[in-house]
């Protein structure tokens, strides 16, 4: 259910028909190291290139980055994608609980009882 801004109405929408404009932190960019540590906002997903378009306000520009180069904020709801070891989890939605910098993986809560550890490149907003 989605609550509409400036209205009391709600509507039912499939998660695949939504794009969250979430804040991210950019990391591990070798070709443009000046981006590392910057924050930005995801504005779109390009499925052909498998990259996010991210607006970096401090630089007043949009950059195209792989999911492995962005860190989603704790609390972001994202979809598991591209898992080969546990393909039955692909398509499931979960909440980012934590990011481990050392392993570059998220702890993702899929249900009250199930938390999994997933590489950052295997989560999509």
């Amino acid at each position: 259910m989605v609550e509409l801004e400036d209205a009391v109405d709600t509507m039912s929408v499939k998660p695949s028909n939504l794009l969250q404009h979430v804040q991210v932190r950019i990391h591990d960019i070798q070709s443009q190291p000046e981006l590392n540590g910057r924050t930005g906002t995801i504005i779109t997903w390009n499925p052909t290139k498998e990259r996010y378009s991210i607006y970096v306000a401090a630089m007043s520009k949009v950059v195209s980055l792989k999911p492995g180069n962005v860190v989603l904020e704790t609390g972001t709801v994202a979809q598991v994608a591209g898992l080969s070891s546990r393909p039955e989890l692909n398509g499931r939605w979960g909440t980012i609980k934590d990011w481990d910098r050392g392993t570059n993986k998220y702890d993702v809560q899929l249900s009250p009882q199930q938390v999994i550890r997933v590489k950052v490149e295997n989560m999509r907003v």
Side-chain angles (χ1 to χ4, degrees):
M1 295 300 287
V2 175
E3 188 174 307
L4 303 175
E5 265 185 26
D6 301 326
V8 293
D9 297 331
T10 60
M11 62 187 293
S12 181
V13 180
K14 291 180 185 178
S16 59
N17 291 331
L18 294 174
L19 176 68
Q20 300 175 79
H21 285 219
V22 297
Q23 290 293 115
V24 296
R25 187 169 2 106
I26 300 169
H27 84 109
D28 202 26
I29 303 285
Q30 305 301 316
S31 62
Q32 298 179 66
E34 69 277 9
L35 291 172
N36 293 325
R38 301 261 185 191
T39 58
T41 303
I42 295 174
I43 55 174
T44 190
W45 168 253
N46 183 330
T48 306
K49 293 183 178 181
E50 294 194 344
R51 291 176 176 257
Y52 292 116
S53 293
I54 299 171
Y55 177 68
V56 182
M59 301 173 82
S60 297
K61 72 182 207 176
V62 175
V63 294
S64 178
L65 299 175
K66 296 176 186 176
N69 294 117
V70 300
V71 178
L72 301 171
E73 289 185 337
T74 299
T76 301
V77 175
Q79 187 176 40
V80 179
L83 286 183
S84 54
S85 62
R86 296 188 64 193
E88 70 277 8
L89 296 177
N90 291 327
R92 297 267 314 266
W93 291 87
T95 303
I96 306 294
K97 300 311 263 179
D98 194 20
W99 173 62
D100 183 323
R101 183 181 192 87
T103 62
N104 202 26
K105 293 183 178 182
Y106 296 118
D107 288 334
V108 179
Q109 186 158 17
L110 298 178
S111 70
Q113 308 83 7
Q114 186 179 22
V115 176
I116 61 172
R117 185 156 280 192
V118 181
K119 292 178 184 177
V120 294
E121 57 264 23
N122 293 113
M123 296 301 295
R124 304 281 187 279
V125 292

